Amino acid sequence: MIVKGFEGYLARLGVTDPGAPSAEALSALQRAHLERVPYDNIDIQLGRPPGIEPELSARRFAAGRGGYCFHLNGGFAALLEALGYDVTRHAGGVHHEPDGRGAGGNHLTLTVRVGGEAWFVDAGLGDGPYEPLPLRAGTYRQGPFTYRMEPSATDPDGWIFHNDPGSSFPVMEFAGRPVSMADFADEHLRLSTAPDSPFLNAFAALRRDAKGIDLLRGRVLTRIDAAGRAERTLDTPQEWFTALTDVFGRNLDGIDADDRSLLWDRVTRAHEKWLADRSRS
């Protein structure tokens, strides 16, 4: 069954028949999403952040584009609901300190009930789990990465997700109560336009697969897998844009010559500042 309005989205995922709702089908959909729809902030870097309406995100994914959590999980939630899944949206908080806590709303995450069990589902963390995690306390191994779930200490229905120690952030906490996409409108505006927003000040693209993670931060392309961490600097615009298409599967048809020049200049300035800061530390 291909649900009307989501044909292009499912084609992007490489899914011809999503089947009836099940834990196995849900896992297959998340895997396909992480492999084929990259986490990226290209449009924010270009100064034209897209809206977070799920219908818009679905069309963008069908056209080969990516996004960040509000787009990725917003679109994925709408797709899952159209396929018959019981989906709940939650406000989360991504923290860059191991003891960081709170669900401040800088992240949208999902829980899904299927087959009598609840699952933590997230296609918008960039370097988070490859497959859904059971919504119960425990430690979970996926490929070379280890994750942990624990109940929130302050929200009786909330949860804390502990990312793999080598990932880009250690902790994300989310509240138990359901929210809607409208609840993220103000935070999306801030994250995509505020001068101090990391999404405006630093370029990032991430893609997850069964064996590891591809990460492009600024001009440094990194592969993280069981063999460790391999990095290389992309020295030319051709290398950089080729990586976006070949490694991350990002369609760049809507990025013209002026856009490419602007993007390359931005990432180069940020890269040079990073090098200068590192040399002083």
Side-chain angles (χ1 to χ4, degrees), residues 187-215:
E187 186 66 2
H188 170 57
L189 178 64
R190 184 187 73 82
L191 291 175
S192 57
T193 63
D196 61 347
S197 169
F199 295 97
L200 199 62
N201 291 321
F203 176 83
L206 297 97
R207 189 192 70 89
R208 181 78 159 85
D209 60 38
K211 296 182 178 180
I213 296 162
D214 294 304
L215 164 66

Side-chain angles (χ1 to χ4, degrees), residues 255-271:
I255 310 296
D256 63 20
D258 288 341
D259 291 335
R260 288 174 180 249
S261 178
L262 188 155
L263 275 171
W264 180 249
D265 287 347
R266 284 185 70 99
V267 298
T268 296
R269 288 197 303 271
H271 181 74

Side-chain angles (χ1 to χ4, degrees), residues 44 65 119 178 200:
I44 292 175
R65 298 179 182 179
W119 298 87
L200 199 62

